[in-house]
Amino acid sequence: MSLFAKMSSGRRLLIGTVLALILFVAVNVAVGNWFGSVRADLTEQKLFTLSEGTQKLLGRLDEPVHLRLFMSSNLVESAPLLANYANRVREMLAAYERNAGGKIKVEVIDPQPFSDAEDRAVGLGVNPIPTGGDQSVFFGLAGTNSTNGKATLPMFSPDREPFLEYDLTRLIAELGQRGKPVLALVDGIGLMGNPMAQTPAQQVLVQLRQFFDVQLLTGDADALPENTGLVLMVHPQRLSERLLYTVDQWTLGGGATFIFVDPYAENQPGMRPGMPPANPSSTAEPLLSAWGIGFDADKAIGDPVNALKSQRPSGIGRPVEVSAVQWLGLRESAFATDNPALAELNSLFLTTAGSFTSTRDTTELVPLITASAQAGTVNAAAAGDPGGDPRILQAGIKPTGTRPVLAARIKGEIPTAFPDGKPEGSAHAGEQLKTSSAPLNLVVVGDADMLMDRNWIQQRRLLGQTISTAFGNNGDFALNMVEQMIGGAGLSDLRGRGVSWRPFEKIVAIEQQAQSEFLATEQALTERLQKAESRLRELSQQGGEGADLLSGDSVREIEKFRSDMLATRAQLRDVQYNMHRDVDSLKSTIKALDVGVLPALFAALALAFALRRPRQSVPTKRSDA
């Protein structure tokens, strides 16, 4: 007979428990060592998983990146709703570090009050979050590279949680490259300004120069500057075939290309001051048509829903306000708000804009900005005529039957616009691409005027200085899109993916049902209570000034209404209690299952297995005596 079999059941239980604990610890240590990097994201929207585009970007970082997460230890206590978000931020940063092949280092810092870490956070641009007390908490990110590159997310705002991966990837993309990216600009509308005419550079260009090395491309250029990150073509006209071929090959190779065309550019300078331009339209031909992108320069979009107001002369001797259907003031409903570059825009202003269609099966238009369903086409020349009457335009709108696409990202596969080979004299090196060889990073916009100051900035003189105030987000749109596109096609494809906090849908449904069932009763009882209180006040004042006693009937009626009022209050309390009873009952049940029933059930099963005796007795050695 074995020694273990001779032991009592109590001793066997004790030894089994000790061995189980040892095995538990050993398994956890082994799993931590062997499978420490293994993660399973079970969330519905894969909130903790990096997208394919982000992983590709991490694989081609040029610069090592050091990320410092400044997160106060009392953040969750001060703001409990940030608990899930804070956990997601830490998990996402750990995922970036794991997938970057040693190019990213993440450091979590707790900036205690009046410490060097707190001064460091503020110095790097991380904003303290006031909590209403004497102290503030920190929840932001600062990144640096091996040179002097710096980038900061001053605060992880819950409003931006759907775009957490986008914000982190954009920051890393900015730090992971050496020097400022080059922006190659084709300026056909006057963004650069004109010193001879004393016209300054437009604010869009001023903002772009803060973040990028903007280099101007002339119309006959046949090569892009070294380290080009994006080609920006604004109202392209009279470009040489050599330059068009260079842009064509750049785009087919996956290079970022941002094109603004226009059926009628009101801001295009004429040959002489005060004279209209001879040809105010641009189509970027032959590129767009060859790529399967339809753009009719003879038609502009008229939209009565988003039309701005304009003063026009009338037959009554004074101007009247009319809807200028060719001038569009677009709000959030017109934007693709799942795109991080447009998610926080409030308004865009476009004038005499055109629309795009797909003319090839392999070319897909992903709308970024659209007009309303009531919009249609109008004659572009009539729409751009400064002396024209918008009322005539509105009467002549031809509905398209869909929401016209004013700006779009292009996806799919596109062919070259030069199927017969490179133009004569082209210095473009390398074998010609006949079709796109990489994911496209191409965006087209149907209005070049939107980049000019007059379309989104108001200027006024104050104390001898010119003060500029933005009334639209046109500049933000351009800068956001350029930043997104320079980050690569992977960054451009990132979309909002939900938030880490989600309500209990069953509880929400029960609350809504309870409210619908008891709200009518509550309103009726509340009205009844108000009438009883009002009648009680009237009876109490019935005697008037100088009356000493109320009549017996009045006293009895007062008592009756007082009793009725108390009973109504009791009924009202019961109704309000019943509204929350089902929800509280469900919450209590869930807590009981989590805290009591399930652990007790598993403990009972474990104890039953431990105490279970063998079904057959253990054989013993018989004595020969």
Side-chain angles (χ1 to χ4, degrees), residues 105-123:
K105 177 185 177 182
V106 177
E107 181 182 2
V108 181
I109 302 173
D110 177 15
Q112 294 292 330
F114 310 107
S115 65
D116 293 339
E118 183 182 50
D119 295 338
R120 192 179 185 188
V122 175

Side-chain angles (χ1 to χ4, degrees), residues 50-278:
L50 299 183
S51 67
E52 182 181 355
T54 294
Q55 294 181 26
K56 289 181 179 179
L57 183 142
L58 296 178
R60 59 174 187 267
L61 290 178
D62 298 325
E63 281 280 312
V65 177
H66 189 176
L67 301 178
R68 298 171 180 85
L69 173 61
F70 291 93
M71 187 167 67
S72 300
S73 56
N74 61 335
L75 173 68
V76 175
E77 298 177 6
S78 304
L81 291 178
L82 290 178
N84 289 337
Y85 189 20
N87 178 59
R88 184 185 174 198
V89 169
R90 296 191 63 164
E91 288 291 333
M92 288 290 286
L93 289 175
Y96 277 88
E97 188 174 25
R98 288 193 305 271
N99 287 272
K103 285 294 185 71
I104 293 180
K105 177 185 177 182
V106 177
E107 181 182 2
V108 181
I109 302 173
D110 177 15
Q112 294 292 330
F114 310 107
S115 65
D116 293 339
E118 183 182 50
D119 295 338
R120 192 179 185 188
V122 175
L124 288 172
V126 177
N127 296 336
I129 306 173
T131 60
D134 297 333
Q135 300 178 356
S136 298
V137 297
F138 288 83
F139 186 33
L141 183 72
T144 57
N145 58 20
S146 62
T147 57
N148 59 352
K150 296 181 180 179
T152 306
L153 295 177
M155 182 181 68
F156 286 103
S157 170
D159 296 339
R160 290 289 298 179
E161 185 179 357
F163 307 111
L164 174 63
E165 184 183 3
Y166 174 84
D167 291 337
L168 293 175
T169 301
R170 185 181 65 173
L171 182 144
I172 291 171
E174 179 182 345
L175 294 172
Q177 53 194 350
R178 295 185 177 96
K180 280 186 176 182
V182 173
L183 190 155
L185 172 64
V186 174
D187 181 16
I189 200 170
L191 296 181
M192 304 286 291
N194 187 347
M196 298 296 294
Q198 297 184 344
T199 56
Q202 300 298 288
Q203 285 300 309
V204 165
L205 186 62
V206 172
Q207 293 181 4
L208 290 173
R209 282 173 169 165
Q210 294 178 8
F211 303 97
F212 309 103
D213 180 9
V214 179
Q215 298 188 24
L216 184 65
L217 288 178
T218 58
D220 58 352
D222 59 2
L224 299 179
E226 188 177 357
N227 298 324
T228 293
L230 179 139
V231 173
L232 175 61
M233 303 177 72
V234 182
H235 198 48
Q237 292 181 319
R238 297 180 295 276
L239 303 182
S240 70
E241 286 196 339
R242 298 191 304 276
L243 176 56
L244 291 170
Y245 177 80
T246 300
V247 174
D248 172 82
Q249 294 297 290
W250 163 265
T251 305
L252 265 59
T257 308
F258 198 9
I259 302 178
F260 288 78
V261 289
D262 203 314
Y264 195 106
E266 294 95 332
N267 292 275
Q268 180 182 354
M271 297 298 294
R272 295 181 181 179
M275 294 289 292

